[in-house]
Every structure is written in C-alpha cells, then in structure tokens.
Amino acid sequence: MGLTQKLQKTLTIVVVFTILLSIFIPGCPQKHMNQENQNTAVAETSAADPISIHQKAIAVDMHVDTAQRLLDEHVDIEQQLSDGHFDAVRAKAGGLDAQFFSIWVEPQLFGIGGAKAVKRADDQIAVVRALAEQHPETWLLATSAADIRRAASEGKIGALLGLEGGYAIDERIENVKRYYDLGVRYMSPAWSVSTSWAGSSGDDVGATRGLNEFGKNVVREMNRLGMMVDVSHVSDPTFWDIVQTSTAPVVATHSACRAIADVPRNLTDDMIRALAKTGGVVNVIFYPEHLEPGWSQKKKQVDAEIATMVQDASAAESGDAVHKKLARDRVRQREYVRRLPPVTVARIVDHIDHIVKLVGVDHVGIGSDFDGVQITTSDLATVADLPNLTKELLRRGYSESDVSKILGGNMLRVMEQLSH
Ligand SMILES: [Zn+2]
C-alpha cells in the first residue's frame, strides 16, 4: 500500500469513526476545522441541523442604514415591510440578536461638519433610541457585549449605534465623548468624502491623505473611551495611520477583500493581516459591488444607461433633497435587479474563506449594509435570509464553533476587550 493509499484509508477510518461518534454521543463537540481535516468537518456538520446551529449563535450585524428610513420615511419596523431589507419581523425570522444602526451623515446634503451635520447625526440617534424605548418587548438599547448577550437571552434584539463618517464631530475632540455618551460605539473617520483630518477611499484627495495630528488624537480619544475605530470607507493612508495609532482592536464594519473584488473600498491582504494583528475583525459586507469581480464596472455601465430615468424620477419628486434621493434610489433598485447579473451568498463566503485563510477564523464577522445599498445578493436578499449564510458556511466545512465566531462571537470578543 503506497503512502497515498495509506492516507486515504486513514482518512476513511477517521470519517467513519466521526460519523459513528456523532450518532452515538449526542452533542459530540465539533472540533475546530482546518484545511487537513476539512472532509471530517463536513461529515460532522452534515449531521447537525443548520437552523438550530444558526439560532444558537449570537448573530451581530455591524451595519445597516435603517436609521435613515426611520427618520426620513417614518417606516414602522415593528411590522414586516414590503420594501427595504430590514425590520424587526424579518430580523427575528433571520435569527439576528444585535444590530448596529449606522448613523450616516451624507456630506453632499448635510456638510462635512457644522450644525447641519451634527443635527443630522443627533436626529438619527434619537429615532433609534426612541425605537428601543417605545418597543422594549422587541429591542434592548445596547452599548456592550454584556447588553447583547442579555438581549439574546431575553429573545430581544440589541440596538447599537455606530457613526459612519466623522463629520458630526465637527472637528472638535470633545464631541467624540459626546457621541460616546449618547451610546455610539464605533466611528469611521470618513465616509466617501475626506475630512480635513482623515482621507476617504471615495475621493481623489484621499489617495494621499491619511490622519493628521487631530485625526490621530481622535483615534486616541476613541481608544480611551472604548469606541471602536472603523476603517470601512477610509483611504489606504488613513487605514495605515489608524492601525499604527490605535492601541485597541481595529474593525472594518462593512468591507470585503480587494484580492477578490478590486474596489478601493475593500481591504488588501496586507491590510487584513495588519488589522488582525490589532486583534480586530473584518465584517464582510453583503453588497455585490464589493463582492463580485467586475461587477463595479458593469454597474457603471448600467448607471450610464439609466441616468435619464434616474434624473426624471428625481425631478418628478416634489419633496426635499432627501426625498429626491429616495426617488432616484428606487429607480436604481428596480433597474439593477433587471440589468445586473445576480450574486449569491456563496460569494460572500468566498470573502470569508479568503480572510480565514489569511488570518484565521477569529478575525471575520458580518456587516450587511442592508438598507444602505440598492441591491443585495439573490439568496441573502434581506435579514430574514441570514440562515442561508450559516448553511453555506456549514456546507463548506466550517464547524459550529466557527459559525458562532463568524456570526457575532468575534465581535463580542472585541467589544469585551473595549469595556475593560
Ligand atoms: Zn458604508
């Protein structure tokens, strides 16, 4: 018997033995999967029920843009909505335990600082806090890992706050604490427009702009308070300045891998390694443009094709600038589904796999960007479909313990470090 045959025989014995073990010993603990025993892991997990594994895990989504819907559209997310990607009914169906609501100040409408930007952030924080206060049977306003665990044990959803773009701190260091005191637990220094103190991946100035001294002081103040620094949307120089300045784990709340989908919003392999070294987590976004190779170029073509249609919808809307944007987005939603190739949950897991291969399973999580994007993957289209992610992870050989880390366990670990 050659060496290969011996190995095959040994593997067969291991697989058979594992199946027998899982049959005769209820709750036989699943071992951590690695590349060598992937076949064994598949045999173990195929005996387990994906839905019960999903329900058992504490699922924490790091990013949705539903706060703007609450504020601008006055949607009642206690009911199942017929549009959008997120509400309490679908979140419960999807087994979600905690949701970070993005507090997003769009610079084009509200400025990169000043009273309007501050008010826009404060108004969104107020609607999320009101949601939790008015519906304590559904929501638990959370600021820590302990709060999230309590929400999960009480069958509620933890509602958390994150600032997307540092516009609302209005270049004043004391405002970092002001937002911390209002419950904000992460902040990205810039969204798609650079500030004077932090470069964005979305504009030209960001290509060379990192953090200036004020920006570094903002990161230090966040570290001191226990507010996570989010690198999603920042420029490459800003990313490196953050990693070098922060003394706490750094996170990306909704990003993916540039090695698979080459867009500036995504992280290079070197960045993923550096972020993991801080103890942080890359939370993979569910947005096709950041997941699928070549999709971004196709979307640009479609944007050109539908430009007139989008403008007409905007002109026909009699409301304010926010409602005109909503009208434009509705056309995009409809036309992207019609004109762009579908992307599936398997592609999300390709990004998770890539990160796991680079830095291990302790540094990956989820950040859907639901309600912040005009199109989602076909089989993880709304929060209700979250169990499909677990099914795909299990199908690829991830163990129950791995799934639990990816769905939220890794972020709970980071948050526990912050509060110490
Ligand atoms: Zn974003």
Side-chain angles (χ1 to χ4, degrees):
M1 191 184 282
L3 186 61
T4 315
Q5 286 168 304
K6 271 188 194 168
L7 279 172
Q8 277 174 349
K9 194 179 174 195
T10 310
L11 188 61
T12 308
I13 291 167
V14 169
V15 170
V16 170
F17 181 69
T18 311
I19 291 170
L20 286 174
L21 259 186
S22 64
I23 290 168
F24 290 113
I25 307 175
C28 173
Q30 288 165 5
K31 289 177 194 69
H32 179 79
M33 184 206 74
N34 58 33
Q35 292 306 309
E36 289 75 46
N37 66 8
Q38 196 163 3
N39 291 338
T40 316
V42 171
E44 284 179 30
T45 50
S46 63
D49 167 26
I51 298 299
S52 66
I53 288 175
H54 183 81
Q55 292 294 349
K56 237 164 55 184
I58 296 181
V60 183
D61 179 356
M62 291 304 293
H63 199 99
V64 296
D65 279 289
T66 313
Q68 296 123 51
R69 297 206 75 196
L70 292 169
L71 183 62
D72 300 328
E73 300 175 63
H74 308 288
V75 291
D76 176 10
I77 65 168
E78 294 306 293
Q79 313 293 323
Q80 179 159 352
L81 301 172
S82 58
D83 62 351
H85 312 130
F86 187 91
D87 53 59
V89 179
R90 287 181 287 180
K92 291 224 163 149
L96 187 77
D97 297 291
Q99 183 62 61
F100 272 88
F101 288 89
S102 163
I103 305 304
W104 176 54
V105 173
E106 185 172 11
Q108 280 179 328
L109 298 179
F110 302 98
I112 58 167
K116 264 174 87 177
V118 175
K119 183 177 185 308
R120 180 67 176 170
D122 291 2
D123 287 350
Q124 289 175 68
I125 291 169
V127 289
V128 175
R129 295 185 72 100
L131 173 76
E133 279 155 20
Q134 287 159 18
H135 302 284
E137 70 288 0
T138 308
W139 300 96
L140 191 152
L141 195 65
T143 56
S144 66
D147 289 346
I148 292 174
R149 290 185 195 282
R150 195 167 79 246
S153 73
E154 292 175 7
K156 297 178 183 176
I157 309 167
L160 298 103
L161 301 164
L163 264 182
E164 180 165 31
Y167 312 113
I169 70 162
D170 194 23
E171 300 193 13
R172 290 152 69 105
I173 198 83
E174 61 270 30
N175 280 340
V176 180
K177 181 162 190 308
R178 181 173 169 270
Y179 282 111
Y180 180 88
D181 290 342
L182 284 170
V184 171
R185 285 298 175 270
Y186 74 70
M187 178 172 78
S188 60
W191 178 69
S192 293
V193 180
S194 298
T195 57
S196 66
W197 50 277
S200 161
S201 64
D203 61 15
D204 293 339
V205 75
T208 51
R209 184 174 294 173
L211 293 177
N212 67 6
E213 203 45 43
F214 174 79
K216 288 175 187 170
N217 283 335
V218 170
V219 169
R220 291 178 190 120
E221 175 70 352
M222 292 170 77
N223 288 165
R224 185 183 75 80
L225 294 165
M227 189 190 285
M228 293 177 278
V229 188
D230 176 14
V231 296
S232 290
H233 287 288
V234 303
S235 68
D236 290 10
T238 303
F239 171 91
W240 291 109
D241 284 344
I242 287 172
V243 163
Q244 276 151 27
T245 308
S246 178
T247 53
V250 171
V251 299
T253 61
H254 59 308
S255 292
C257 307
R258 221 181 281 178
I260 299 175
D262 187 10
V263 295
R265 267 280 278 110
N266 282 345
L267 303 172
T268 66
D269 289 358
D270 280 348
M271 288 171 166
I272 293 166
R273 286 190 198 96
L275 184 146
K277 258 191 198 154
T278 71
V281 173
V282 180
N283 294 279
V284 174
I285 191 169
F286 301 170
Y287 181 39
E289 184 172 5
H290 301 336
L291 296 169
E292 184 73 12
W295 207 92
S296 186
Q297 285 83 346
K298 288 187 188 126
K299 177 171 160 282
K300 277 188 190 124
Q301 285 168 20
V302 170
D303 280 333
E305 288 165 23
I306 66 172
T308 312
M309 219 185 282
V310 169
Q311 277 320 309
D312 288 350
S314 193
E317 165 63 51
S318 57
D320 62 9
V322 167
H323 287 85
K324 282 182 177 294
K325 183 185 179 299
L326 288 170
R328 293 196 293 275
D329 283 347
R330 273 195 292 275
V331 175
R332 292 186 183 114
Q333 278 161 18
R334 191 186 67 218
E335 296 303 320
Y336 287 169
V337 173
R338 283 182 189 162
R339 294 165 191 249
L340 285 160
V343 176
T344 69
V345 71
R347 185 58 89 189
I348 297 172
V349 179
D350 288 346
H351 286 260
I352 292 174
D353 274 346
H354 185 78
I355 296 164
V356 170
K357 278 178 190 132
L358 280 177
V359 294
V361 77
D362 292 334
H363 302 284
V364 63
I366 54 169
S368 66
D369 212 1
F370 282 144
D371 284 345
V373 292
Q374 285 100 39
I375 189 166
T376 55
T377 62
S378 55
D379 46 357
L380 183 31
T382 79
V383 62
D385 299 328
L386 204 53
N388 287 343
L389 177 68
T390 293
K391 282 182 198 159
E392 179 65 13
L393 288 167
L394 293 170
R395 198 185 69 74
R396 299 234 188 152
Y398 284 90
S399 69
E400 179 171 356
S401 146
D402 291 339
V403 168
S404 165
K405 286 179 176 183
I406 294 165
L407 288 179
N410 288 332
M411 278 313 307
L412 290 174
R413 181 199 74 229
V414 168
M415 291 185 72
E416 267 152 11
Q417 276 174 261
L418 288 173
S419 50
H420 288 162

